[in-house]
PDB file of all heavy atoms in Angstrom:
ATOM      1  N   ASN P  22     -23.506 209.350 -66.435  1.00  0.00           N
ATOM      2  CA  ASN P  22     -23.013 208.300 -67.301  1.00  0.00           C
ATOM      3  C   ASN P  22     -23.712 206.992 -66.980  1.00  0.00           C
ATOM      4  O   ASN P  22     -24.571 206.943 -66.092  1.00  0.00           O
ATOM      5  CB  ASN P  22     -21.488 208.153 -67.181  1.00  0.00           C
ATOM      6  CG  ASN P  22     -20.825 207.816 -68.496  1.00  0.00           C
ATOM      7  OD1 ASN P  22     -21.222 206.872 -69.176  1.00  0.00           O
ATOM      8  ND2 ASN P  22     -19.801 208.584 -68.863  1.00  0.00           N
ATOM      9  N   ILE P  23     -23.331 205.950 -67.682  1.00  0.00           N
ATOM     10  CA  ILE P  23     -23.932 204.638 -67.507  1.00  0.00           C
ATOM     11  C   ILE P  23     -23.218 203.930 -66.363  1.00  0.00           C
ATOM     12  O   ILE P  23     -22.036 203.600 -66.458  1.00  0.00           O
ATOM     13  CB  ILE P  23     -23.857 203.808 -68.792  1.00  0.00           C
ATOM     14  CG1 ILE P  23     -24.448 204.590 -69.971  1.00  0.00           C
ATOM     15  CG2 ILE P  23     -24.560 202.476 -68.607  1.00  0.00           C
ATOM     16  CD1 ILE P  23     -25.899 204.970 -69.776  1.00  0.00           C
ATOM     17  N   PHE P  24     -23.967 203.661 -65.302  1.00  0.00           N
ATOM     18  CA  PHE P  24     -23.368 203.172 -64.075  1.00  0.00           C
ATOM     19  C   PHE P  24     -22.672 201.832 -64.252  1.00  0.00           C
ATOM     20  O   PHE P  24     -21.581 201.614 -63.712  1.00  0.00           O
ATOM     21  CB  PHE P  24     -24.444 203.086 -62.984  1.00  0.00           C
ATOM     22  CG  PHE P  24     -23.929 202.627 -61.657  1.00  0.00           C
ATOM     23  CD1 PHE P  24     -23.075 203.424 -60.910  1.00  0.00           C
ATOM     24  CD2 PHE P  24     -24.315 201.400 -61.141  1.00  0.00           C
ATOM     25  CE1 PHE P  24     -22.610 203.006 -59.678  1.00  0.00           C
ATOM     26  CE2 PHE P  24     -23.858 200.980 -59.902  1.00  0.00           C
ATOM     27  CZ  PHE P  24     -23.003 201.784 -59.169  1.00  0.00           C
ATOM     28  N   ASN P  25     -23.274 200.917 -64.998  1.00  0.00           N
ATOM     29  CA  ASN P  25     -22.689 199.590 -65.102  1.00  0.00           C
ATOM     30  C   ASN P  25     -21.477 199.532 -66.018  1.00  0.00           C
ATOM     31  O   ASN P  25     -20.931 198.449 -66.244  1.00  0.00           O
ATOM     32  CB  ASN P  25     -23.733 198.550 -65.513  1.00  0.00           C
ATOM     33  CG  ASN P  25     -24.339 198.812 -66.873  1.00  0.00           C
ATOM     34  OD1 ASN P  25     -23.890 199.681 -67.612  1.00  0.00           O
ATOM     35  ND2 ASN P  25     -25.374 198.042 -67.206  1.00  0.00           N
ATOM     36  N   MET P  26     -21.028 200.662 -66.530  1.00  0.00           N
ATOM     37  CA  MET P  26     -19.763 200.745 -67.230  1.00  0.00           C
ATOM     38  C   MET P  26     -18.594 200.990 -66.277  1.00  0.00           C
ATOM     39  O   MET P  26     -17.454 201.049 -66.727  1.00  0.00           O
ATOM     40  CB  MET P  26     -19.791 201.860 -68.273  1.00  0.00           C
ATOM     41  CG  MET P  26     -20.721 201.573 -69.435  1.00  0.00           C
ATOM     42  SD  MET P  26     -20.116 200.192 -70.436  1.00  0.00           S
ATOM     43  CE  MET P  26     -21.389 200.123 -71.695  1.00  0.00           C
ATOM     44  N   TYR P  27     -18.881 201.117 -64.990  1.00  0.00           N
ATOM     45  CA  TYR P  27     -17.869 201.479 -64.013  1.00  0.00           C
ATOM     46  C   TYR P  27     -17.653 200.384 -62.982  1.00  0.00           C
ATOM     47  O   TYR P  27     -18.609 199.780 -62.477  1.00  0.00           O
ATOM     48  CB  TYR P  27     -18.262 202.765 -63.278  1.00  0.00           C
ATOM     49  CG  TYR P  27     -18.231 203.994 -64.146  1.00  0.00           C
ATOM     50  CD1 TYR P  27     -19.328 204.350 -64.917  1.00  0.00           C
ATOM     51  CD2 TYR P  27     -17.096 204.794 -64.190  1.00  0.00           C
ATOM     52  CE1 TYR P  27     -19.297 205.468 -65.725  1.00  0.00           C
ATOM     53  CE2 TYR P  27     -17.063 205.918 -64.991  1.00  0.00           C
ATOM     54  CZ  TYR P  27     -18.155 206.252 -65.755  1.00  0.00           C
ATOM     55  OH  TYR P  27     -18.120 207.372 -66.547  1.00  0.00           O
ATOM     56  N   ASN P  28     -16.393 200.150 -62.678  1.00  0.00           N
ATOM     57  CA  ASN P  28     -16.043 199.471 -61.445  1.00  0.00           C
ATOM     58  C   ASN P  28     -16.041 200.514 -60.330  1.00  0.00           C
ATOM     59  O   ASN P  28     -15.586 201.641 -60.520  1.00  0.00           O
ATOM     60  CB  ASN P  28     -14.677 198.808 -61.546  1.00  0.00           C
ATOM     61  CG  ASN P  28     -14.650 197.707 -62.581  1.00  0.00           C
ATOM     62  OD1 ASN P  28     -15.642 197.019 -62.800  1.00  0.00           O
ATOM     63  ND2 ASN P  28     -13.507 197.518 -63.218  1.00  0.00           N
ATOM     64  N   MET P  29     -16.543 200.123 -59.174  1.00  0.00           N
ATOM     65  CA  MET P  29     -16.710 201.053 -58.070  1.00  0.00           C
ATOM     66  C   MET P  29     -15.873 200.620 -56.873  1.00  0.00           C
ATOM     67  O   MET P  29     -15.569 199.439 -56.696  1.00  0.00           O
ATOM     68  CB  MET P  29     -18.181 201.150 -57.662  1.00  0.00           C
ATOM     69  CG  MET P  29     -19.122 201.533 -58.791  1.00  0.00           C
ATOM     70  SD  MET P  29     -18.812 203.197 -59.439  1.00  0.00           S
ATOM     71  CE  MET P  29     -19.210 204.198 -58.005  1.00  0.00           C
ATOM     72  N   ALA P  30     -15.527 201.588 -56.043  1.00  0.00           N
ATOM     73  CA  ALA P  30     -14.717 201.288 -54.875  1.00  0.00           C
ATOM     74  C   ALA P  30     -14.946 202.327 -53.791  1.00  0.00           C
ATOM     75  O   ALA P  30     -15.392 203.450 -54.059  1.00  0.00           O
ATOM     76  CB  ALA P  30     -13.228 201.228 -55.238  1.00  0.00           C
ATOM     77  N   TRP P  31     -14.638 201.930 -52.567  1.00  0.00           N
ATOM     78  CA  TRP P  31     -14.581 202.830 -51.432  1.00  0.00           C
ATOM     79  C   TRP P  31     -13.148 202.892 -50.923  1.00  0.00           C
ATOM     80  O   TRP P  31     -12.507 201.853 -50.737  1.00  0.00           O
ATOM     81  CB  TRP P  31     -15.504 202.377 -50.300  1.00  0.00           C
ATOM     82  CG  TRP P  31     -16.954 202.550 -50.589  1.00  0.00           C
ATOM     83  CD1 TRP P  31     -17.821 201.622 -51.071  1.00  0.00           C
ATOM     84  CD2 TRP P  31     -17.721 203.747 -50.398  1.00  0.00           C
ATOM     85  NE1 TRP P  31     -19.073 202.149 -51.191  1.00  0.00           N
ATOM     86  CE2 TRP P  31     -19.045 203.457 -50.789  1.00  0.00           C
ATOM     87  CE3 TRP P  31     -17.427 205.022 -49.929  1.00  0.00           C
ATOM     88  CZ2 TRP P  31     -20.071 204.400 -50.730  1.00  0.00           C
ATOM     89  CZ3 TRP P  31     -18.434 205.963 -49.873  1.00  0.00           C
ATOM     90  CH2 TRP P  31     -19.734 205.649 -50.273  1.00  0.00           C
ATOM     91  N   TYR P  32     -12.671 204.107 -50.720  1.00  0.00           N
ATOM     92  CA  TYR P  32     -11.388 204.369 -50.102  1.00  0.00           C
ATOM     93  C   TYR P  32     -11.615 205.128 -48.805  1.00  0.00           C
ATOM     94  O   TYR P  32     -12.684 205.691 -48.576  1.00  0.00           O
ATOM     95  CB  TYR P  32     -10.494 205.203 -51.017  1.00  0.00           C
ATOM     96  CG  TYR P  32      -9.991 204.500 -52.250  1.00  0.00           C
ATOM     97  CD1 TYR P  32     -10.838 204.229 -53.320  1.00  0.00           C
ATOM     98  CD2 TYR P  32      -8.658 204.118 -52.354  1.00  0.00           C
ATOM     99  CE1 TYR P  32     -10.372 203.595 -54.459  1.00  0.00           C
ATOM    100  CE2 TYR P  32      -8.186 203.488 -53.493  1.00  0.00           C
ATOM    101  CZ  TYR P  32      -9.049 203.233 -54.541  1.00  0.00           C
ATOM    102  OH  TYR P  32      -8.573 202.610 -55.673  1.00  0.00           O
ATOM    103  N   ARG P  33     -10.597 205.157 -47.966  1.00  0.00           N
ATOM    104  CA  ARG P  33     -10.674 205.973 -46.772  1.00  0.00           C
ATOM    105  C   ARG P  33      -9.314 206.575 -46.466  1.00  0.00           C
ATOM    106  O   ARG P  33      -8.274 206.032 -46.826  1.00  0.00           O
ATOM    107  CB  ARG P  33     -11.197 205.181 -45.570  1.00  0.00           C
ATOM    108  CG  ARG P  33     -10.256 204.109 -45.048  1.00  0.00           C
ATOM    109  CD  ARG P  33     -10.942 203.307 -43.944  1.00  0.00           C
ATOM    110  NE  ARG P  33     -10.073 202.290 -43.389  1.00  0.00           N
ATOM    111  CZ  ARG P  33     -10.468 201.373 -42.519  1.00  0.00           C
ATOM    112  NH1 ARG P  33     -11.748 201.359 -42.111  1.00  0.00           N
ATOM    113  NH2 ARG P  33      -9.604 200.479 -42.049  1.00  0.00           N
ATOM    114  N   GLN P  34      -9.362 207.709 -45.782  1.00  0.00           N
ATOM    115  CA  GLN P  34      -8.147 208.419 -45.417  1.00  0.00           C
ATOM    116  C   GLN P  34      -8.304 208.970 -44.007  1.00  0.00           C
ATOM    117  O   GLN P  34      -9.149 209.827 -43.763  1.00  0.00           O
ATOM    118  CB  GLN P  34      -7.858 209.548 -46.405  1.00  0.00           C
ATOM    119  CG  GLN P  34      -6.529 210.238 -46.186  1.00  0.00           C
ATOM    120  CD  GLN P  34      -6.167 211.153 -47.342  1.00  0.00           C
ATOM    121  OE1 GLN P  34      -7.027 211.556 -48.120  1.00  0.00           O
ATOM    122  NE2 GLN P  34      -4.888 211.466 -47.467  1.00  0.00           N
ATOM    123  N   ALA P  35      -7.485 208.463 -43.106  1.00  0.00           N
ATOM    124  CA  ALA P  35      -7.441 208.967 -41.745  1.00  0.00           C
ATOM    125  C   ALA P  35      -6.441 210.116 -41.671  1.00  0.00           C
ATOM    126  O   ALA P  35      -5.557 210.239 -42.519  1.00  0.00           O
ATOM    127  CB  ALA P  35      -7.050 207.848 -40.779  1.00  0.00           C
ATOM    128  N   PRO P  36      -6.567 210.972 -40.652  1.00  0.00           N
ATOM    129  CA  PRO P  36      -5.653 212.113 -40.539  1.00  0.00           C
ATOM    130  C   PRO P  36      -4.189 211.691 -40.534  1.00  0.00           C
ATOM    131  O   PRO P  36      -3.787 210.800 -39.785  1.00  0.00           O
ATOM    132  CB  PRO P  36      -6.050 212.749 -39.206  1.00  0.00           C
ATOM    133  CG  PRO P  36      -7.480 212.369 -39.028  1.00  0.00           C
ATOM    134  CD  PRO P  36      -7.596 210.985 -39.607  1.00  0.00           C
ATOM    135  N   GLY P  37      -3.399 212.318 -41.398  1.00  0.00           N
ATOM    136  CA  GLY P  37      -1.980 212.048 -41.477  1.00  0.00           C
ATOM    137  C   GLY P  37      -1.594 210.787 -42.212  1.00  0.00           C
ATOM    138  O   GLY P  37      -0.397 210.475 -42.284  1.00  0.00           O
ATOM    139  N   LEU P  38      -2.562 210.061 -42.768  1.00  0.00           N
ATOM    140  CA  LEU P  38      -2.292 208.801 -43.434  1.00  0.00           C
ATOM    141  C   LEU P  38      -2.664 208.860 -44.905  1.00  0.00           C
ATOM    142  O   LEU P  38      -3.301 209.798 -45.372  1.00  0.00           O
ATOM    143  CB  LEU P  38      -3.054 207.657 -42.748  1.00  0.00           C
ATOM    144  CG  LEU P  38      -2.734 207.432 -41.274  1.00  0.00           C
ATOM    145  CD1 LEU P  38      -3.568 206.288 -40.719  1.00  0.00           C
ATOM    146  CD2 LEU P  38      -1.253 207.150 -41.082  1.00  0.00           C
ATOM    147  N   GLN P  39      -2.257 207.833 -45.643  1.00  0.00           N
ATOM    148  CA  GLN P  39      -2.575 207.723 -47.049  1.00  0.00           C
ATOM    149  C   GLN P  39      -4.038 207.376 -47.256  1.00  0.00           C
ATOM    150  O   GLN P  39      -4.713 206.870 -46.356  1.00  0.00           O
ATOM    151  CB  GLN P  39      -1.711 206.646 -47.715  1.00  0.00           C
ATOM    152  CG  GLN P  39      -0.240 206.969 -47.811  1.00  0.00           C
ATOM    153  CD  GLN P  39       0.521 205.865 -48.520  1.00  0.00           C
ATOM    154  OE1 GLN P  39       0.274 204.678 -48.277  1.00  0.00           O
ATOM    155  NE2 GLN P  39       1.430 206.238 -49.396  1.00  0.00           N
ATOM    156  N   ARG P  40      -4.500 207.642 -48.450  1.00  0.00           N
ATOM    157  CA  ARG P  40      -5.816 207.186 -48.854  1.00  0.00           C
ATOM    158  C   ARG P  40      -5.704 205.730 -49.307  1.00  0.00           C
ATOM    159  O   ARG P  40      -4.995 205.423 -50.264  1.00  0.00           O
ATOM    160  CB  ARG P  40      -6.374 208.066 -49.974  1.00  0.00           C
ATOM    161  CG  ARG P  40      -7.800 207.728 -50.359  1.00  0.00           C
ATOM    162  CD  ARG P  40      -8.358 208.700 -51.385  1.00  0.00           C
ATOM    163  NE  ARG P  40      -8.391 210.063 -50.876  1.00  0.00           N
ATOM    164  CZ  ARG P  40      -8.927 211.099 -51.521  1.00  0.00           C
ATOM    165  NH1 ARG P  40      -9.496 210.910 -52.701  1.00  0.00           N
ATOM    166  NH2 ARG P  40      -8.904 212.303 -50.993  1.00  0.00           N
ATOM    167  N   ASP P  41      -6.391 204.846 -48.623  1.00  0.00           N
ATOM    168  CA  ASP P  41      -6.268 203.416 -48.853  1.00  0.00           C
ATOM    169  C   ASP P  41      -7.573 202.824 -49.358  1.00  0.00           C
ATOM    170  O   ASP P  41      -8.664 203.270 -48.987  1.00  0.00           O
ATOM    171  CB  ASP P  41      -5.856 202.689 -47.574  1.00  0.00           C
ATOM    172  CG  ASP P  41      -4.455 203.035 -47.117  1.00  0.00           C
ATOM    173  OD1 ASP P  41      -3.592 203.290 -47.976  1.00  0.00           O
ATOM    174  OD2 ASP P  41      -4.216 203.049 -45.892  1.00  0.00           O
ATOM    175  N   LEU P  42      -7.434 201.806 -50.165  1.00  0.00           N
ATOM    176  CA  LEU P  42      -8.592 201.075 -50.667  1.00  0.00           C
ATOM    177  C   LEU P  42      -9.237 200.278 -49.542  1.00  0.00           C
ATOM    178  O   LEU P  42      -8.560 199.537 -48.826  1.00  0.00           O
ATOM    179  CB  LEU P  42      -8.174 200.146 -51.798  1.00  0.00           C
ATOM    180  CG  LEU P  42      -9.267 199.270 -52.403  1.00  0.00           C
ATOM    181  CD1 LEU P  42     -10.312 200.126 -53.110  1.00  0.00           C
ATOM    182  CD2 LEU P  42      -8.668 198.259 -53.374  1.00  0.00           C
ATOM    183  N   VAL P  43     -10.537 200.408 -49.405  1.00  0.00           N
ATOM    184  CA  VAL P  43     -11.306 199.661 -48.420  1.00  0.00           C
ATOM    185  C   VAL P  43     -11.980 198.464 -49.064  1.00  0.00           C
ATOM    186  O   VAL P  43     -11.893 197.339 -48.566  1.00  0.00           O
ATOM    187  CB  VAL P  43     -12.356 200.556 -47.738  1.00  0.00           C
ATOM    188  CG1 VAL P  43     -13.215 199.752 -46.770  1.00  0.00           C
ATOM    189  CG2 VAL P  43     -11.675 201.719 -47.026  1.00  0.00           C
ATOM    190  N   ALA P  44     -12.679 198.701 -50.156  1.00  0.00           N
ATOM    191  CA  ALA P  44     -13.416 197.654 -50.842  1.00  0.00           C
ATOM    192  C   ALA P  44     -13.669 198.081 -52.269  1.00  0.00           C
ATOM    193  O   ALA P  44     -13.759 199.275 -52.563  1.00  0.00           O
ATOM    194  CB  ALA P  44     -14.746 197.357 -50.132  1.00  0.00           C
ATOM    195  N   SER P  45     -13.783 197.118 -53.152  1.00  0.00           N
ATOM    196  CA  SER P  45     -14.074 197.390 -54.549  1.00  0.00           C
ATOM    197  C   SER P  45     -15.084 196.381 -55.055  1.00  0.00           C
ATOM    198  O   SER P  45     -15.208 195.278 -54.517  1.00  0.00           O
ATOM    199  CB  SER P  45     -12.810 197.352 -55.409  1.00  0.00           C
ATOM    200  OG  SER P  45     -12.231 196.061 -55.399  1.00  0.00           O
ATOM    201  N   ILE P  46     -15.775 196.774 -56.111  1.00  0.00           N
ATOM    202  CA  ILE P  46     -16.752 195.885 -56.719  1.00  0.00           C
ATOM    203  C   ILE P  46     -16.797 196.188 -58.212  1.00  0.00           C
ATOM    204  O   ILE P  46     -16.871 197.340 -58.626  1.00  0.00           O
ATOM    205  CB  ILE P  46     -18.145 196.026 -56.056  1.00  0.00           C
ATOM    206  CG1 ILE P  46     -19.118 194.990 -56.610  1.00  0.00           C
ATOM    207  CG2 ILE P  46     -18.691 197.444 -56.207  1.00  0.00           C
ATOM    208  CD1 ILE P  46     -20.381 194.858 -55.767  1.00  0.00           C
ATOM    209  N   THR P  47     -16.722 195.148 -59.020  1.00  0.00           N
ATOM    210  CA  THR P  47     -16.754 195.315 -60.456  1.00  0.00           C
ATOM    211  C   THR P  47     -18.183 195.467 -60.943  1.00  0.00           C
ATOM    212  O   THR P  47     -19.147 195.295 -60.197  1.00  0.00           O
ATOM    213  CB  THR P  47     -16.100 194.123 -61.164  1.00  0.00           C
ATOM    214  OG1 THR P  47     -16.923 192.964 -60.994  1.00  0.00           O
ATOM    215  CG2 THR P  47     -14.713 193.845 -60.608  1.00  0.00           C
ATOM    216  N   SER P  48     -18.304 195.791 -62.220  1.00  0.00           N
ATOM    217  CA  SER P  48     -19.626 195.874 -62.815  1.00  0.00           C
ATOM    218  C   SER P  48     -20.341 194.538 -62.795  1.00  0.00           C
ATOM    219  O   SER P  48     -21.572 194.498 -62.866  1.00  0.00           O
ATOM    220  CB  SER P  48     -19.529 196.400 -64.249  1.00  0.00           C
ATOM    221  OG  SER P  48     -18.732 195.544 -65.054  1.00  0.00           O
ATOM    222  N   GLY P  49     -19.581 193.447 -62.681  1.00  0.00           N
ATOM    223  CA  GLY P  49     -20.154 192.116 -62.582  1.00  0.00           C
ATOM    224  C   GLY P  49     -20.332 191.623 -61.165  1.00  0.00           C
ATOM    225  O   GLY P  49     -20.563 190.431 -60.959  1.00  0.00           O
ATOM    226  N   ASN P  50     -20.204 192.508 -60.173  1.00  0.00           N
ATOM    227  CA  ASN P  50     -20.459 192.208 -58.762  1.00  0.00           C
ATOM    228  C   ASN P  50     -19.396 191.324 -58.123  1.00  0.00           C
ATOM    229  O   ASN P  50     -19.670 190.608 -57.151  1.00  0.00           O
ATOM    230  CB  ASN P  50     -21.838 191.579 -58.558  1.00  0.00           C
ATOM    231  CG  ASN P  50     -22.937 192.603 -58.441  1.00  0.00           C
ATOM    232  OD1 ASN P  50     -22.741 193.670 -57.868  1.00  0.00           O
ATOM    233  ND2 ASN P  50     -24.100 192.277 -58.995  1.00  0.00           N
ATOM    234  N   SER P  51     -18.177 191.385 -58.636  1.00  0.00           N
ATOM    235  CA  SER P  51     -17.059 190.728 -57.978  1.00  0.00           C
ATOM    236  C   SER P  51     -16.448 191.697 -56.972  1.00  0.00           C
ATOM    237  O   SER P  51     -15.989 192.780 -57.345  1.00  0.00           O
ATOM    238  CB  SER P  51     -16.019 190.288 -58.995  1.00  0.00           C
ATOM    239  OG  SER P  51     -14.907 189.701 -58.363  1.00  0.00           O
ATOM    240  N   ALA P  52     -16.428 191.319 -55.690  1.00  0.00           N
ATOM    241  CA  ALA P  52     -16.020 192.218 -54.616  1.00  0.00           C
ATOM    242  C   ALA P  52     -14.705 191.783 -53.992  1.00  0.00           C
ATOM    243  O   ALA P  52     -14.408 190.592 -53.897  1.00  0.00           O
ATOM    244  CB  ALA P  52     -17.092 192.284 -53.541  1.00  0.00           C
ATOM    245  N   ASN P  53     -13.932 192.758 -53.550  1.00  0.00           N
ATOM    246  CA  ASN P  53     -12.702 192.529 -52.815  1.00  0.00           C
ATOM    247  C   ASN P  53     -12.629 193.507 -51.658  1.00  0.00           C
ATOM    248  O   ASN P  53     -13.178 194.604 -51.719  1.00  0.00           O
ATOM    249  CB  ASN P  53     -11.475 192.681 -53.707  1.00  0.00           C
ATOM    250  CG  ASN P  53     -11.337 191.569 -54.711  1.00  0.00           C
ATOM    251  OD1 ASN P  53     -11.662 191.738 -55.883  1.00  0.00           O
ATOM    252  ND2 ASN P  53     -10.875 190.414 -54.243  1.00  0.00           N
ATOM    253  N   TYR P  54     -11.906 193.105 -50.595  1.00  0.00           N
ATOM    254  CA  TYR P  54     -11.848 193.893 -49.377  1.00  0.00           C
ATOM    255  C   TYR P  54     -10.431 193.972 -48.845  1.00  0.00           C
ATOM    256  O   TYR P  54      -9.638 193.035 -48.989  1.00  0.00           O
ATOM    257  CB  TYR P  54     -12.730 193.282 -48.292  1.00  0.00           C
ATOM    258  CG  TYR P  54     -14.178 193.192 -48.665  1.00  0.00           C
ATOM    259  CD1 TYR P  54     -14.684 192.058 -49.281  1.00  0.00           C
ATOM    260  CD2 TYR P  54     -15.045 194.249 -48.404  1.00  0.00           C
ATOM    261  CE1 TYR P  54     -16.018 191.978 -49.635  1.00  0.00           C
ATOM    262  CE2 TYR P  54     -16.378 194.176 -48.755  1.00  0.00           C
ATOM    263  CZ  TYR P  54     -16.856 193.042 -49.368  1.00  0.00           C
ATOM    264  OH  TYR P  54     -18.188 192.962 -49.712  1.00  0.00           O
ATOM    265  N   ALA P  55     -10.131 195.093 -48.214  1.00  0.00           N
ATOM    266  CA  ALA P  55      -8.903 195.189 -47.455  1.00  0.00           C
ATOM    267  C   ALA P  55      -8.963 194.237 -46.266  1.00  0.00           C
ATOM    268  O   ALA P  55     -10.035 193.986 -45.702  1.00  0.00           O
ATOM    269  CB  ALA P  55      -8.685 196.621 -46.974  1.00  0.00           C
ATOM    270  N   ASP P  56      -7.805 193.714 -45.874  1.00  0.00           N
ATOM    271  CA  ASP P  56      -7.768 192.776 -44.762  1.00  0.00           C
ATOM    272  C   ASP P  56      -8.349 193.376 -43.483  1.00  0.00           C
ATOM    273  O   ASP P  56      -8.969 192.665 -42.685  1.00  0.00           O
ATOM    274  CB  ASP P  56      -6.338 192.312 -44.507  1.00  0.00           C
ATOM    275  CG  ASP P  56      -5.818 191.382 -45.581  1.00  0.00           C
ATOM    276  OD1 ASP P  56      -6.632 190.810 -46.327  1.00  0.00           O
ATOM    277  OD2 ASP P  56      -4.584 191.220 -45.671  1.00  0.00           O
ATOM    278  N   SER P  57      -8.168 194.658 -43.296  1.00  0.00           N
ATOM    279  CA  SER P  57      -8.599 195.297 -42.063  1.00  0.00           C
ATOM    280  C   SER P  57     -10.113 195.349 -41.907  1.00  0.00           C
ATOM    281  O   SER P  57     -10.605 195.537 -40.791  1.00  0.00           O
ATOM    282  CB  SER P  57      -8.026 196.714 -41.977  1.00  0.00           C
ATOM    283  OG  SER P  57      -8.441 197.489 -43.084  1.00  0.00           O
ATOM    284  N   VAL P  58     -10.849 195.199 -43.001  1.00  0.00           N
ATOM    285  CA  VAL P  58     -12.306 195.289 -42.936  1.00  0.00           C
ATOM    286  C   VAL P  58     -12.996 194.002 -43.338  1.00  0.00           C
ATOM    287  O   VAL P  58     -14.227 193.903 -43.224  1.00  0.00           O
ATOM    288  CB  VAL P  58     -12.842 196.451 -43.799  1.00  0.00           C
ATOM    289  CG1 VAL P  58     -12.142 197.751 -43.443  1.00  0.00           C
ATOM    290  CG2 VAL P  58     -12.681 196.142 -45.286  1.00  0.00           C
ATOM    291  N   LYS P  59     -12.243 193.031 -43.783  1.00  0.00           N
ATOM    292  CA  LYS P  59     -12.828 191.775 -44.232  1.00  0.00           C
ATOM    293  C   LYS P  59     -13.635 191.131 -43.108  1.00  0.00           C
ATOM    294  O   LYS P  59     -13.168 191.013 -41.977  1.00  0.00           O
ATOM    295  CB  LYS P  59     -11.734 190.827 -44.715  1.00  0.00           C
ATOM    296  CG  LYS P  59     -12.247 189.637 -45.502  1.00  0.00           C
ATOM    297  CD  LYS P  59     -11.102 188.734 -45.937  1.00  0.00           C
ATOM    298  CE  LYS P  59     -10.164 189.453 -46.903  1.00  0.00           C
ATOM    299  NZ  LYS P  59     -10.797 189.703 -48.211  1.00  0.00           N
ATOM    300  N   GLY P  60     -14.838 190.730 -43.437  1.00  0.00           N
ATOM    301  CA  GLY P  60     -15.725 190.129 -42.464  1.00  0.00           C
ATOM    302  C   GLY P  60     -16.602 191.118 -41.728  1.00  0.00           C
ATOM    303  O   GLY P  60     -17.555 190.703 -41.060  1.00  0.00           O
ATOM    304  N   ARG P  61     -16.293 192.403 -41.822  1.00  0.00           N
ATOM    305  CA  ARG P  61     -17.077 193.430 -41.148  1.00  0.00           C
ATOM    306  C   ARG P  61     -17.811 194.342 -42.117  1.00  0.00           C
ATOM    307  O   ARG P  61     -18.916 194.800 -41.827  1.00  0.00           O
ATOM    308  CB  ARG P  61     -16.191 194.282 -40.245  1.00  0.00           C
ATOM    309  CG  ARG P  61     -15.486 193.499 -39.147  1.00  0.00           C
ATOM    310  CD  ARG P  61     -14.757 194.434 -38.187  1.00  0.00           C
ATOM    311  NE  ARG P  61     -13.708 195.199 -38.859  1.00  0.00           N
ATOM    312  CZ  ARG P  61     -13.667 196.536 -38.909  1.00  0.00           C
ATOM    313  NH1 ARG P  61     -14.618 197.257 -38.336  1.00  0.00           N
ATOM    314  NH2 ARG P  61     -12.666 197.150 -39.530  1.00  0.00           N
ATOM    315  N   PHE P  62     -17.196 194.622 -43.262  1.00  0.00           N
ATOM    316  CA  PHE P  62     -17.775 195.524 -44.249  1.00  0.00           C
ATOM    317  C   PHE P  62     -18.276 194.732 -45.446  1.00  0.00           C
ATOM    318  O   PHE P  62     -17.702 193.696 -45.806  1.00  0.00           O
ATOM    319  CB  PHE P  62     -16.746 196.542 -44.742  1.00  0.00           C
ATOM    320  CG  PHE P  62     -16.326 197.571 -43.733  1.00  0.00           C
ATOM    321  CD1 PHE P  62     -16.701 197.495 -42.403  1.00  0.00           C
ATOM    322  CD2 PHE P  62     -15.530 198.630 -44.130  1.00  0.00           C
ATOM    323  CE1 PHE P  62     -16.304 198.445 -41.481  1.00  0.00           C
ATOM    324  CE2 PHE P  62     -15.129 199.587 -43.226  1.00  0.00           C
ATOM    325  CZ  PHE P  62     -15.508 199.504 -41.901  1.00  0.00           C
ATOM    326  N   THR P  63     -19.304 195.244 -46.084  1.00  0.00           N
ATOM    327  CA  THR P  63     -19.837 194.647 -47.295  1.00  0.00           C
ATOM    328  C   THR P  63     -20.095 195.732 -48.322  1.00  0.00           C
ATOM    329  O   THR P  63     -20.809 196.701 -48.042  1.00  0.00           O
ATOM    330  CB  THR P  63     -21.141 193.884 -47.031  1.00  0.00           C
ATOM    331  OG1 THR P  63     -20.915 192.865 -46.045  1.00  0.00           O
ATOM    332  CG2 THR P  63     -21.645 193.224 -48.309  1.00  0.00           C
ATOM    333  N   ILE P  64     -19.511 195.573 -49.501  1.00  0.00           N
ATOM    334  CA  ILE P  64     -19.771 196.483 -50.597  1.00  0.00           C
ATOM    335  C   ILE P  64     -20.800 195.849 -51.524  1.00  0.00           C
ATOM    336  O   ILE P  64     -20.781 194.642 -51.761  1.00  0.00           O
ATOM    337  CB  ILE P  64     -18.476 196.839 -51.361  1.00  0.00           C
ATOM    338  CG1 ILE P  64     -18.728 197.951 -52.382  1.00  0.00           C
ATOM    339  CG2 ILE P  64     -17.864 195.609 -52.026  1.00  0.00           C
ATOM    340  CD1 ILE P  64     -17.451 198.504 -53.005  1.00  0.00           C
TER     341      ILE P  64
END
């Protein structure tokens, strides 16, 4: 499909835990981060 029609995100799931949002980025390059990774991860 056409990539720029999609907002993209990374999630993670540790053993026994929920799948949580790590970071997201819109088609317009607006990024957001979970507090636990802010300042360390870059999407």
Side-chain angles (χ1 to χ4, degrees):
N22 216 308
I23 307 300
F24 182 68
N25 62 9
M26 292 293 181
Y27 291 86
N28 296 327
M29 304 296 296
W31 289 96
Y32 290 73
R33 69 185 181 187
Q34 186 169 20
L38 301 179
Q39 292 182 318
R40 185 175 299 185
D41 293 327
L42 178 66
V43 177
S45 63
I46 186 166
T47 69
S48 60
N50 275 324
S51 178
N53 290 102
Y54 300 91
D56 288 341
S57 59
V58 307
K59 194 181 296 291
R61 300 187 298 121
F62 291 8
T63 302
I64 188 171

